Amino acid sequence: MSNTIAIPQSMLPEDGRFGSGPSKIRGEQVDALAAGATTLLGTSHRQTPVRQVVASIREGLASFFRLPEGYEIALGNGGASAFWDMACASLIARRAAFGTYGSFSAKFAASAASAPFLESPVIFEGDPGTYRLPEYVDGVDAYCWAHNETSTGVAAPVRRVAGSLGQGALTLVDGTSAAGALPVDVSQTDAYYFSPQKAFGSDGGLWVAVLSPAAIERAASVEQGAKLDGARRWVPPFLSLTSAVANSRKDQTLNTPAVATLIMLENQVRWLNDNGGLDWASARCARSASILYDWAERSAYANPFVTDPGARSHSVVTIDLDDAIDANRVVSALRDNGIVDTSGYRKLGRNQLRIGVFPSVEPSDVTALTQCVDYVVERLGD
Ligand SMILES: *Cc1c(COP(=O)(O)O)cnc(C)c1O
């Protein structure tokens, strides 16, 4: 092992958090916690002050996503992972089709495959570093994929599968590491769902979903069917999308939420909207991402992992390093200098850096990061 490499103070980014989730939380979000120290924290989520926070989140996201007529913002506890199981319990009627191209997109497909009351899903599998969208299949009632595959840094298009509306199928898109960072037309989806600890820079534990009227109707009919024939399907109360929607309409959640997560999310949504909304946020992320991709392409020892420039994520950037340079050592030298969470997704198993460039990250800090990586790599052999 080499000795610790000390990066000169003047080269360091102002903020060293580059995680892909949890991600950087801005100081103003933490200030918002302090501001609510006695009026919000430790108070009931069923009373006006906290419900106003939830109302502001729902209104702010409606404007951020330019909500189409009839669409609603719902939220509940459990994160995107819980939403997968909620979708299995109360959105997929019989059979779903999935595009899978990495850990996160595959996990939802695995949930559906293990639900005893659903038919085996149809899986369209792509190699890591690419995306694969589900294709039209007779008898499928839900098409599912991830807007941004966080394990590989791949961004996929969000548009309905041709013919899917005609067959009455829903489109369920995991927007967890994309929502707030990548452009999206939510009218191409029936559920665009995410957790707030990525682009929204809050803490984990919550799921948020942009829902179409068709999704809300589907949940009602699936859950009604389960009531009539409980032998065929069980919808645990916690996984009832209908209950979640009923609570969300009252600016509440089914069970007790982390109030701190709500406060930080509310502050971020307002910050994004005040700065220019999704157009501003996505342009800022695109700029940060291009700083990294351009640097890697110029570099003698680094390369973007995703070969198709059109599939390169603007929120989670994956950079392969030459085998001669051990990415683990680079990551740990960066951590010694306060630059954290730059390692690749463990299960992908590549000699790689993975960098979250969500809206909270300053593009100038991304530039500083590239210089710090160069500095460390030049000294690794010493
Ligand atoms: C992080 C992530 C998840 C899981 O979110 P949790 O809040 O941990 O449940 C799901 N999908 C994608 C694309 C993610 O990036």
Side-chain angles (χ1 to χ4, degrees), residues 79-101:
S81 302
F83 194 85
W84 291 329
D85 292 330
M86 187 172 258
C88 290
S90 49
L91 278 176
I92 302 170
R94 298 176 75 93
R95 192 176 203 203
F98 290 86
T100 67
Y101 34 91

Side-chain angles (χ1 to χ4, degrees), residues 20 78-82 84 104 146 148-150 174 176-177 195 197-198 204-206:
S20 299
S81 302
W84 291 329
F104 291 100
N148 195 71
E149 178 44 77
T150 318
D174 182 351
T176 300
S177 60
S195 305
Q197 73 276 21
K198 316 248 168 146
L206 210 64

Side-chain angles (χ1 to χ4, degrees), residues 46 52 59 106 109 116 127 135 156 163-164 185 240 317 373:
R46 309 234 181 256
Q52 277 173 343
E59 284 158 25
D127 290 330
E135 292 164 23
S164 63
D185 171 4
S240 160
V317 174
V373 174

Side-chain angles (χ1 to χ4, degrees), residues 7-370:
I7 302 172
Q9 198 67 32
S10 61
M11 282 183 75
L12 292 172
E14 273 179 41
D15 196 298
R17 292 172 291 178
F18 293 98
S20 299
S23 64
K24 176 181 170 185
I25 296 176
R26 291 175 305 106
E28 290 82 353
Q29 292 171 277
V30 179
D31 294 344
L33 290 178
T38 58
T39 51
L40 294 168
L41 295 178
T43 75
S44 169
H45 59 293
R46 309 234 181 256
Q47 296 300 321
T48 306
V50 176
R51 285 172 66 186
Q52 277 173 343
V53 173
V54 174
S56 170
I57 291 169
R58 294 180 66 236
E59 284 158 25
L61 289 174
S63 128
F64 186 80
F65 288 114
R66 299 197 185 97
L67 221 58
E69 188 63 33
Y71 277 59
E72 296 183 36
I73 305 288
L75 70 172
N77 283 310
S81 302
F83 194 85
W84 291 329
D85 292 330
M86 187 172 258
C88 290
S90 49
L91 278 176
I92 302 170
R94 298 176 75 93
R95 192 176 203 203
F98 290 86
T100 67
Y101 34 91
S103 277
F104 291 100
S105 46
K107 278 187 194 175
F108 184 13
S111 256
S114 69
F117 45 82
L118 298 178
E119 291 172 23
S120 296
V122 191
I123 312 271
F124 294 87
E125 193 177 346
D127 290 330
T130 68
Y131 63 78
R132 177 98 189 266
L133 300 183
E135 292 164 23
Y136 180 90
V137 181
D138 275 331
V140 156
D141 59 73
Y143 291 91
C144 317
W145 69 97
H147 191 181
N148 195 71
E149 178 44 77
T150 318
S151 66
T152 58
V154 166
V158 176
R159 54 166 185 265
R160 290 181 191 273
V161 173
S164 63
L165 270 182
Q167 71 180 158
L170 300 177
T171 298
L172 313 177
V173 174
D174 182 351
T176 300
S177 60
L182 307 188
V184 68
D185 171 4
V186 292
S187 74
Q188 292 294 313
T189 71
D190 296 294
Y192 186 71
Y193 59 91
F194 54 92
S195 305
Q197 73 276 21
K198 316 248 168 146
F200 289 98
S202 185
D203 257 332
L206 210 64
W207 61 261
V208 180
V210 182
L211 298 174
S212 75
I216 294 167
E217 276 165 35
R218 171 73 69 81
S221 81
V222 165
E223 293 179 41
Q224 186 58 28
K227 265 189 205 134
L228 298 175
D229 183 7
R232 207 180 70 74
R233 180 195 291 251
W234 177 48
V235 181
F238 189 66
L239 298 183
S240 160
L241 188 61
T242 303
S243 303
V245 169
N247 277 282
S248 299
R249 285 176 178 164
K250 292 188 284 185
D251 297 319
Q252 298 182 37
T253 47
L254 174 69
N255 64 321
T256 317
V259 174
T261 303
L262 293 171
I263 294 172
M264 292 192 289
L265 172 57
E266 193 276 340
N267 184 276
Q268 184 80 342
V269 172
R270 225 159 7 89
W271 178 71
L272 291 170
N273 280 333
D274 287 349
N275 275 293
L278 184 51
D279 291 344
W280 173 80
S282 54
R284 180 169 160 96
C285 294
R287 192 165 135 228
S288 290
S290 75
I291 291 169
L292 283 162
Y293 292 125
D294 292 350
W295 159 78
E297 280 180 334
R298 280 195 316 271
S299 162
Y301 64 86
N303 265 306
F305 166 51
V306 178
T307 48
D308 171 7
R312 285 178 190 159
S313 170
H314 291 170
S315 58
V316 174
V317 174
T318 46
I319 304 287
D320 276 348
L321 302 186
D322 279 0
D323 287 343
I325 295 151
D326 181 353
N328 291 327
R329 288 185 61 203
V330 176
V331 166
S332 93
L334 291 172
R335 182 169 277 276
D336 289 343
N337 287 275
I339 298 170
V340 302
D341 301 339
T342 59
S343 55
Y345 191 74
R346 196 172 37 83
K347 279 188 251 164
L348 186 60
R350 293 186 70 92
N351 192 46
Q352 182 170 94
L353 305 178
R354 184 178 60 142
I355 293 139
V357 289
F358 297 116
S360 298
V361 171
E362 293 297 332
S364 57
D365 277 354
V366 177
T367 303
L369 170 66
T370 62

